[in-house]
Amino acid sequence: MRNPVGGHVPVAGGLATTGLAYARELGAEAVQVFVANPRGWATPVGSPAQDELFRAACEAESLSAWVHAPYLINFGSHTEATVERSVESLRHSLRRGREIGARGVVVHTGSATGGRPREEALTQVRERMLPLLDELTHADDPFLLLESTAGQGFSLCSRAEDFGPYFDALDRHPKLGICLDTCHIFAAGHDLAAPRGMAGTLDELVATVGEGRLKLIHANDSKDVVGAHKDRHANIGAGHIGEEPFRELMRHPETDGVPLVIETPGGKEGHTADVERLKKLRG
Ligand SMILES: [Zn+2]
């Protein structure tokens, strides 16, 4: 399928019992989950029975699975305790990702805190994140996917060109990829709603990191205008990006085979409508 469409699903109650059931109700063709509290540092072991059910069902139903790592992770932090926890948390998400058959683990690119220069923060990204990439030696290990942010504060990566230095810091590792969040990149100043705005942004991304690095798309509309540096997701077509750029997205050569996952408001009803709308735009 050119672009499987799915959503981020809740998993309280079990990956399979709750998560898969929710995905089926959405008509999802791809599914993203948390494997830990996204606002905490805990590294839960998970349930082998739920893992197996989830993994087997995803395979049987050709659902691609993706993990989103916790939000607190910041490899650019000037606080050593935060960096140490970030390493443990991301290592945990990567291991859990493999256990549940996920194809990729999404992590936010973080920010340079404490007034430290960006270069210093990127050096730390290299020292602490690169070893985690080197640990991905199993054939079924997930990709590590960098997700840029809306460009708040001292963000290390928000515009397409910012992926360049970040990729360089990580030696353009073969297990490294990108998760493009349409709301974030719009908030960072890429006008996806302008004529050829989406295609042009994707072209820039390819020019920066090369072909084949874009593995996943977080398909979210934006409640705020372009360049607002605000991370407020809207339902597809109900925000300042609008429907058309998503159609354009699914026509670009770089997105061939790349799944779209929604992280939009509105509960199950809103999610079902967004999945349906994206499938319609896919044609
Ligand atoms: Zn996202």
Side-chain angles (χ1 to χ4, degrees), residues 57-125:
C58 285
E59 206 174 304
E61 296 165 35
S62 302
L63 259 167
S64 68
W66 307 83
V67 167
H68 199 306
Y71 300 130
L72 300 182
I73 292 176
N74 183 11
F75 281 78
S77 173
H78 72 297
T79 307
E80 177 56 22
T82 301
V83 185
E84 275 171 26
R85 285 172 173 154
S86 296
V87 170
E88 284 322 305
S89 180
L90 185 54
R91 179 180 278 128
H92 169 261
S93 281
L94 288 164
R95 191 186 66 238
R96 292 289 296 130
R98 181 159 73 96
E99 288 169 357
I100 70 169
R103 285 171 50 190
V105 171
V106 178
V107 66
H108 288 175
T109 41
S111 57
T113 61
R116 73 191 326 198
R118 184 191 183 85
E119 294 67 35
E120 199 179 301
L122 282 175
T123 300
Q124 181 173 281
V125 166

Side-chain angles (χ1 to χ4, degrees), residues 2-3 180-183 185-186 190-202 214 217-222 226 235-253 255 260 277-278 280-282:
R2 197 199 192 274
N3 295 106
L180 177 70
D181 188 306
T182 52
C183 174
I185 202 113
F186 184 72
H190 289 266
D191 192 359
L192 306 179
R196 269 205 100 255
M198 178 68 87
T201 300
L202 289 164
L214 181 61
I217 290 153
H218 284 169
N220 302 307
D221 209 326
S222 170
V226 61
N235 294 97
I236 306 299
H240 288 271
I241 296 176
E243 280 190 358
E244 279 310 305
F246 291 97
R247 194 198 303 274
E248 195 174 312
L249 173 84
M250 292 185 270
R251 300 284 184 280
H252 194 279
T255 67
L260 275 66
R277 195 163 291 127
L278 286 172
K280 212 168 279 171
L281 290 167
R282 177 176 68 191

Side-chain angles (χ1 to χ4, degrees), residues 124-186:
Q124 181 173 281
V125 166
R126 175 186 182 79
E127 288 166 357
R128 311 303 284 270
M129 199 185 272
L130 192 51
L132 294 179
L133 281 160
D134 285 332
E135 288 172 15
L136 302 174
T137 54
H138 307 86
D140 58 349
D141 270 323
F143 282 95
L144 177 59
L145 307 184
L146 303 175
E147 177 177 9
S148 59
T149 59
Q152 319 93 316
F154 299 92
S155 171
L156 288 175
C157 185
S158 58
R159 294 189 58 96
E161 62 265 27
D162 297 335
F163 279 107
Y166 215 108
F167 261 61
D168 287 342
L170 296 169
D171 289 346
R172 303 193 168 240
H173 196 283
K175 291 300 268 188
L176 190 61
I178 285 179
C179 170
L180 177 70
D181 188 306
T182 52
C183 174
H184 296 180
I185 202 113
F186 184 72

